[in-house]
Amino acid sequence: MDFDEDTLFVGNIPSSFSNELLMEILNIFGEVREFRRGRSLEGADSPWAIVNYHEPASANRLYGVLLNRALGQSRVTILPARKGFERWENSGDVLKKIEDINRKYREELEREDLLDRFISSYNLLYGKAGDDRVFSFTLKKWLKEEAEIRKRCRKAEHDFEKSTERRRQEEYDYLSNYDDDRSNDLFYLDRTSWISERNKDNVK
């Protein structure tokens, strides 16, 4: 790779970002001339990459949009620092594209994980030489059950959030209406009684 002033070092790339996903993101800013990503001693993709664009303007766009931008749990670092670059006016649209690309790959990984888990279970039950019709029927049934489980989990999560919010509101209302002139001992006794009554109502 030729290193020049338009060669950028991009760091803190999330480990979940494959090279394919990363290239799709990099190509948003312009045509990539060269791309290289490091690898760890174990052979895993490194959190850094070197990219060089055909046009300097593309490097400026990348720098202006992704510098210190949160991707995953980290913020992207880009070196060397570029002076005189202007913020890309379409950065909002670009960030949406990046999120859409990331979501697409994330969903694909989830589907692959689901399929891998199904095939492992299927092979245990029927062996690798199972009938195609049995495989198709079992897969449809399993996916339906999996979707139902996810639906129930989402509902349980939603109900928990609503319950938590309701408790916070009750707590706020209680403290807002409480008489500040009462002693701490009376406050704790009264509060304990109030919590006990509230829990009884929730059980009902």
Side-chain angles (χ1 to χ4, degrees):
M1 173 178 280
D2 296 328
F3 292 91
D4 55 33
E5 61 182 8
D6 292 319
T7 300
L8 297 177
F9 172 95
V10 182
N12 283 342
I13 301 168
S15 58
S16 59
F17 278 37
S18 65
N19 286 345
E20 185 181 5
L21 183 154
L22 190 56
M23 279 298 297
E24 192 167 348
I25 291 174
L26 294 175
N27 279 318
I28 292 175
F29 303 98
E31 186 179 356
V32 175
R33 182 170 65 184
E34 291 185 88
F35 167 81
R36 183 178 297 172
R37 187 173 185 180
R39 299 186 74 83
S40 68
L41 294 176
E42 293 77 20
D45 288 328
S46 170
W48 61 266
I50 296 173
V51 60
N52 191 295
Y53 285 97
H54 282 282
E55 299 292 336
S58 300
N60 285 336
R61 292 186 193 121
L62 171 67
Y63 189 87
V65 174
L66 288 188
L67 179 65
N68 292 325
R69 182 72 58 182
L71 283 181
Q73 296 180 338
S74 304
R75 291 188 176 275
V76 176
T77 58
I78 303 177
L79 296 172
R82 299 179 73 83
K83 298 180 180 179
F85 74 94
E86 296 181 0
R87 289 287 178 184
W88 197 11
E89 60 182 13
N90 294 326
S91 60
D93 295 336
V94 172
L95 291 173
K96 185 178 184 305
K97 283 184 181 179
I98 292 174
E99 179 55 34
D100 290 342
I101 292 170
N102 190 23
R103 186 184 301 109
K104 181 186 72 173
Y105 276 86
R106 192 165 58 239
E107 289 172 352
E108 288 178 359
L109 288 174
E110 288 176 355
R111 283 196 295 270
E112 289 176 5
D113 180 59
L114 281 175
L115 188 57
D116 287 343
R117 285 193 283 128
F118 167 75
I119 291 176
S120 296
S121 301
Y122 180 87
N123 289 341
L124 285 173
L125 292 172
Y126 301 102
K128 293 185 178 180
D131 186 280
D132 287 344
R133 289 174 298 176
V134 175
F135 181 89
S136 178
F137 171 78
T138 309
L139 176 60
K140 288 179 181 178
K141 182 179 178 182
W142 187 82
L143 289 174
K144 182 178 180 181
E145 292 173 350
E146 184 78 14
E148 183 62 28
I149 291 172
R150 289 185 175 222
K151 182 179 178 181
R152 291 181 182 180
C153 288
R154 284 195 295 268
K155 184 179 184 304
E157 184 178 359
H158 177 69
D159 291 345
F160 176 77
E161 289 176 353
K162 285 182 63 178
S163 174
T164 302
E165 183 60 32
R166 188 182 72 249
R167 283 173 173 265
R168 286 176 181 164
Q169 186 60 46
E170 290 174 351
E171 188 89 5
Y172 173 79
D173 293 341
Y174 171 78
L175 293 174
S176 298
N177 297 321
Y178 194 80
D179 185 358
D180 292 337
D181 293 333
R182 303 182 72 180
S183 68
N184 287 338
D185 290 340
L186 287 175
F187 171 78
Y188 287 122
L189 286 172
D190 190 50
R191 179 174 170 76
T192 301
S193 175
W194 175 77
I195 291 175
S196 177
E197 290 299 321
R198 183 188 66 177
N199 290 340
K200 287 180 182 178
D201 292 338
N202 289 335
V203 170
K204 294 177 183 178

